Amino acid sequence: MEVNNAPKIGPVLQKERKERHLTLDRLAALSGVSRSMLSQIERGEANPTFAVLWSLTQALGIDFSQLIAGGITHQRKAEAIELVTLALTPEIKSPDGAWRLRILSSPALAGRVEWYEVEIAPGSKLQSAPHAPGTFEHLTAYTDGLLVETELGRQELLTGETARYRADIGHEITNGGTETARALMVVLYDQEA
């Protein structure tokens, strides 16, 4: 007798992702799970490991137990203080080591407001395709040498200065200095242009 009562997690993950207005690419970046694996999980074509499911629930801000139960019935109970250790802080790195983004914002806020610690190697740049309409970025320089360029203009930044610019058009951040440049980037979605 074969018993297969495995939970149908694919549709639940897809529903939670779409409710947060996240693309597969965005959830992949937040969770560290590849886009192709996410797509396979959502279609029920993959049997993800515990570690993969854990990464996805953390990125979506949902309880693992509720995912396994087949649906999200409650939001995660807020802790008095939630601590994310350095080892558990997700990162996005360029393949060539030119830049690194540490994701500091809560996964539950993805697609609404996000903030990142940005590091760009000397002489390197972080190029971005246009984000969703109405998206803005705020970049506060922790070091000198950064240059923000969009289709509408360019602005050099000194330590402590903040550039605010449309991110629903092509844009890039360049480090023209000789040391690694650092900044805080806040991304705001669905803002009035």
Side-chain angles (χ1 to χ4, degrees):
M1 176 167 94
E2 185 178 326
V3 177
N4 187 358
N5 292 329
K8 305 290 186 215
I9 58 171
V12 175
L13 285 171
Q14 185 179 56
K15 175 181 167 285
E16 293 297 319
R17 176 179 62 81
K18 288 184 175 183
E19 282 181 2
R20 288 163 178 75
H21 307 288
L22 296 173
T23 64
L24 284 170
D25 289 324
R26 188 74 190 115
L27 182 55
L30 290 170
S31 66
V33 177
S34 73
R35 183 190 190 286
S36 61
M37 173 60 82
L38 287 172
S39 179
Q40 290 173 357
I41 293 169
E42 287 187 358
R43 293 190 315 264
E45 297 174 357
N47 187 15
T49 65
F50 176 83
V52 166
L53 291 177
W54 182 258
S55 295
L56 291 171
T57 58
Q58 295 302 294
L60 290 168
I62 60 178
D63 285 335
F64 186 82
S65 61
Q66 292 172 326
L67 172 67
I68 298 304
I72 309 308
T73 56
H74 301 91
Q75 290 294 336
R76 174 184 292 178
K77 181 181 175 186
E79 300 293 329
I81 298 175
E82 180 183 359
L83 173 66
V84 179
T85 64
L86 180 60
L88 294 177
T89 300
E91 292 184 350
I92 305 169
K93 296 179 184 179
S94 67
D96 62 358
W99 52 263
R100 176 177 76 159
L101 300 176
R102 291 185 59 240
I103 304 169
L104 304 177
S105 50
S106 167
L109 296 173
R112 291 182 287 161
V113 61
E114 301 165 6
W115 54 98
Y116 303 87
E117 179 184 80
V118 179
E119 290 184 358
I120 303 175
S124 298
K125 65 176 69 175
L126 169 62
Q127 290 182 295
S128 296
H131 300 304
T135 302
F136 279 78
E137 289 181 0
H138 297 208
L139 185 77
T140 301
Y142 291 156
T143 57
D144 290 342
L146 289 172
L147 170 69
V148 175
E149 293 184 85
T150 75
E151 295 173 10
L152 301 176
R154 55 186 283 149
Q155 180 62 56
E156 292 184 24
L157 296 172
L158 298 174
T159 300
E161 294 182 332
T162 299
R164 298 181 180 116
Y165 49 93
R166 286 181 53 184
D168 56 359
I169 57 177
H171 56 286
E172 64 185 37
I173 305 165
T174 303
N175 177 5
T178 58
E179 302 289 328
T180 297
R182 291 180 173 77
L184 175 69
M185 180 176 13
V186 177
V187 183
L188 301 170
Y189 294 89
D190 292 326
Q191 303 297 302
E192 293 297 320

